[in-house]
Amino acid sequence: MEKTSSGEHILQPAYVRISDDLRSRIRGGDLKPHAPLPPERELCLDHGVSRMTARRALNILESEGLVYRDYRDGKRGTFVSEPRIELRLGSFSREISKAGRHPGAELLWAEKKPASHAQAAALGIDTGASVVALQRLRRSDNEPLALETTFYPAHILPGFLKEDLSGSLWDVLRNKYAIIPARTVANLEVVVLDQEASHLLQTRQAAAGLRLIRRTFDKDGKCFEYAEDTYRADRVSLVIDREIDE
Amino acid sequence: MEKTSSGEHILQPAYVRISDDLRSRIRGGDLKPHAPLPPERELCLDHGVSRMTARRALNILESEGLVYRDYRDGKRGTFVSEPRIELRLGSFSREISKAGRHPGAELLWAEKKPASHAQAAALGIDTGASVVALQRLRRSDNEPLALETTFYPAHILPGFLKEDLSGSLWDVLRNKYAIIPARTVANLEVVVLDQEASHLLQTRQAAAGLRLIRRTFDKDGKCFEYAEDTYRADRVSLVIDREIDE
DNA sequence: CAGTGGTCTAGACCACAAT
DNA sequence: TTGTGGTCTAGACCACTGT
């Protein structure tokens, strides 16, 4: 398909050509959010490829967050996505507000249990010591965006599991336990969602996610919080705002 | 394959079963970094699937950064990856040092040109005003990790293109121009690498990347730097260290 | 019932590097 | 030439939803 001349040329596979074509049509504003793309079998005819090849092109756009596949108006189909939701890192309870969107965190479970090795090491306690652990599903407009699993040393938070755990956890720590977050260290990487995460976040099997593993410290440098957050890579962009101290 | 009972059950596709199987074998330490996996056609026989299905399983592991496909010892094959490289966000010139690894930034190009609309808006200058722009390829042990494209208003950096641009840019700004970075605001999201980026970063077509779009401000709140950084999602994890001011 | 995407097959041909 | 991964075909059957 492409011109090739003296070592400089690159022959694009069909699935790249097709995804490039569809991407430019979406970016060009030809197709609005939630507008249906042609059915896969129609794309095959349009581009003269087999369905596996057309699907590869759509899979690229899906992992870019540019399209999604779902039921709309009672029909299965592939549709143009809305823009990603921006989440501000470091103040996890506040997403950047958008008109018509409202945040929420559903508590999936909360319990006291023995610390794993990794949790104990992060929190500076003994393996097997009690931690309070909780998992929450963060949404925006009922769209699941992130899965947060958080751990605290149980001894510093008596009665914590009876608090309201659907809002800002840092607010609870500040107001009820006089624990003031002062510093956070996080490690962020791209992962493939496992079965549980992709089910809870309502993505396809083995979709990409952003995994943020973080520890939060008080002003004395003591780590009081360990958390593993998993974001939908196709729906979230993270905003990082940071002072430079060096 | 899986048990199914009254709404609770999930039937795993073959490619998920196979990738789960290989993942646990790699994670279990059975296979060390750079050890070859069985050829795809052998995996087909082992698991009784067609090659397309076996490849889907390997593609998942590849996008997880758990395996790579390359030539080693003169043979094409699929091999176990080394652990990801940790890069510290905010001090881009310093990767977390590891024995035997040494960082480097290759200057791909540097030039003065008119600002695009996005660059001008970020830097607070007029569209079309002069910016100095440069692109660098960051490596660790010759392994390409990130592609950085950086923009500055040309008028604040006379002679900048004659400086050594292969080290820390912030050091040059501090030492030669008395510009002190005080704050950085960044937006991070998962993207699919385009042809140019996947070529420079030596990934397969349409591999996942981490795109960091950032602006850096001096102590007066003036934005003097706009940058678009693209990381290899399979090879990099980002470390974020942040004071909490709220 | 029809229409859609999700999974899967059983092959094919190619490029590439070492032998 | 051999062996590997990369691309691609031309189908198939399934689950799901609404008519």
Side-chain angles (χ1 to χ4, degrees):
Chain A
M1 305 303 153
E2 268 68 31
K3 274 304 172 46
T4 86
S5 66
S6 75
E8 272 286 348
H9 46 267
I10 300 103
L11 207 164
Q12 295 277 51
Y15 66 87
V16 171
R17 279 187 294 112
I18 297 168
S19 63
D20 284 352
D21 176 56
L22 291 170
R23 187 184 302 109
S24 64
R25 277 208 269 163
I26 295 171
R27 290 254 164 82
D30 200 8
L31 294 162
K32 301 296 180 192
H34 306 296
L37 271 71
E40 293 172 355
R41 289 160 177 89
E42 194 177 317
L43 287 174
C44 301
L45 299 177
D46 290 354
H47 292 85
V49 297
S50 70
R51 203 172 142 223
M52 287 295 267
T53 301
R55 277 181 61 74
R56 275 183 88 162
L58 290 173
N59 288 342
I60 290 176
L61 300 181
E62 190 182 29
S63 56
E64 282 180 71
L66 223 53
V67 307
Y68 64 94
R69 310 206 244 217
D70 199 358
Y71 291 91
R72 281 199 84 81
D73 306 324
K75 292 257 287 245
R76 198 83 157 92
T78 306
F79 305 90
V80 177
S81 299
E82 286 192 24
R84 281 178 162 87
I85 312 286
E86 290 190 335
L87 295 179
R88 183 172 290 272
L89 214 60
S91 59
F92 292 91
S93 60
R94 298 204 305 266
E95 91 189 47
I96 290 179
S97 47
K98 301 219 169 176
R101 290 211 156 251
H102 45 87
E106 177 192 347
L107 184 65
L108 298 181
W109 52 261
E111 61 185 30
K112 192 179 295 195
K113 57 180 176 179
S116 76
H117 192 71
Q119 295 152 17
L123 293 170
I125 60 180
D126 292 334
T127 301
S130 253
V131 292
V132 288
L134 60 120
Q135 187 170 60
R136 310 194 302 170
L137 183 62
R138 288 167 47 70
R139 309 174 190 267
S140 178
D141 260 6
N142 262 339
E143 183 181 22
L145 293 184
L147 198 56
E148 301 180 345
T149 313
T150 315
F151 304 87
Y152 302 97
H155 67 88
I156 65 170
L157 296 179
F160 186 68
L161 295 181
K162 295 192 182 66
E163 300 290 340
D164 174 15
L165 302 178
S166 64
S168 165
L169 296 177
W170 284 3
D171 280 353
V172 174
L173 296 180
R174 272 187 281 240
N175 299 334
K176 305 270 184 177
Y177 299 93
I179 296 173
I180 314 293
R183 180 162 163 258
T184 180
V185 177
N187 187 299
L188 187 141
E189 59 185 37
V190 175
V191 298
V192 171
L193 300 183
D194 63 20
Q195 190 190 37
E196 186 197 353
S198 62
H199 178 250
L200 289 168
L201 293 173
Q202 293 176 227
T203 71
R204 70 163 201 281
Q205 297 258 27
L210 275 168
R211 168 78 42 83
L212 189 77
I213 296 187
R214 59 189 169 86
R215 286 182 294 162
T216 316
F217 302 85
D218 64 20
K219 65 182 191 311
D220 300 323
K222 177 161 174 47
C223 175
F224 63 88
E225 180 185 63
Y226 171 77
E228 297 178 1
D229 301 335
T230 305
Y231 299 87
R232 278 186 62 157
D234 59 334
R235 294 297 303 135
V236 169
S237 76
L238 296 176
V239 176
I240 304 162
D241 191 338
R242 193 177 163 284
E243 306 296 321
I244 296 160
D245 46 339
E246 331 157 30
Chain B
M1 309 303 156
E2 268 69 30
K3 274 305 172 46
T4 88
S5 66
S6 76
E8 272 285 347
H9 44 269
I10 300 104
L11 206 164
Q12 294 277 52
Y15 65 87
V16 171
R17 280 188 293 112
I18 296 168
S19 63
D20 284 352
D21 176 57
L22 291 171
R23 186 184 303 107
S24 65
R25 278 208 269 164
I26 294 171
R27 290 255 163 82
D30 198 10
L31 294 163
K32 301 298 181 191
H34 306 297
L37 272 72
E40 294 173 355
R41 289 159 177 89
E42 193 177 318
L43 288 174
C44 300
L45 298 176
D46 291 353
H47 292 86
V49 296
S50 70
R51 203 173 143 222
M52 287 296 267
T53 302
R55 276 181 61 74
R56 274 183 89 163
L58 290 173
N59 288 342
I60 289 175
L61 300 180
E62 190 182 29
S63 55
E64 283 180 71
L66 222 53
V67 307
Y68 63 95
R69 312 209 246 211
D70 200 357
Y71 291 91
R72 280 201 84 79
D73 308 323
K75 292 256 288 246
R76 197 81 157 97
T78 306
F79 305 90
V80 177
S81 299
E82 287 192 24
R84 280 179 163 87
I85 312 286
E86 290 188 335
L87 294 180
R88 182 171 290 272
L89 216 59
S91 60
F92 293 91
S93 61
R94 297 205 303 268
E95 91 188 52
I96 288 177
S97 47
K98 302 221 167 173
R101 292 209 156 251
H102 44 86
E106 176 192 346
L107 183 65
L108 300 180
W109 52 261
E111 60 187 27
K112 192 180 297 193
K113 57 179 177 180
S116 76
H117 192 71
Q119 294 151 18
L123 293 170
I125 59 179
D126 292 333
T127 302
S130 252
V131 292
V132 287
L134 59 122
Q135 187 170 62
R136 310 195 302 172
L137 183 63
R138 288 167 46 72
R139 310 173 190 267
S140 179
D141 259 6
N142 263 338
E143 184 182 21
L145 294 184
L147 198 55
E148 302 179 347
T149 314
T150 314
F151 305 87
Y152 302 97
H155 67 89
I156 67 170
L157 296 178
F160 186 68
L161 296 180
K162 295 192 182 65
E163 300 289 339
D164 174 17
L165 302 177
S166 65
S168 164
L169 296 177
W170 285 3
D171 280 352
V172 174
L173 295 180
R174 272 187 281 242
N175 299 335
K176 306 271 184 177
Y177 298 93
I179 295 174
I180 315 291
R183 178 159 165 262
T184 180
V185 177
N187 187 297
L188 187 141
E189 59 185 36
V190 175
V191 298
V192 171
L193 300 183
D194 62 20
Q195 190 189 35
E196 185 197 355
S198 63
H199 178 250
L200 289 167
L201 292 172
Q202 292 176 228
T203 71
R204 70 164 200 281
Q205 296 259 27
L210 275 167
R211 169 77 45 81
L212 188 77
I213 296 187
R214 59 188 169 86
R215 286 181 296 162
T216 315
F217 302 84
D218 64 20
K219 65 181 189 313
D220 300 323
K222 177 163 175 45
C223 174
F224 62 88
E225 179 185 65
Y226 171 77
E228 299 179 359
D229 301 335
T230 305
Y231 299 87
R232 279 186 61 155
D234 59 334
R235 295 297 301 134
V236 169
S237 76
L238 297 176
V239 176
I240 303 162
D241 191 337
R242 194 177 162 285
E243 306 297 321
I244 296 160
D245 44 340
E246 332 157 28

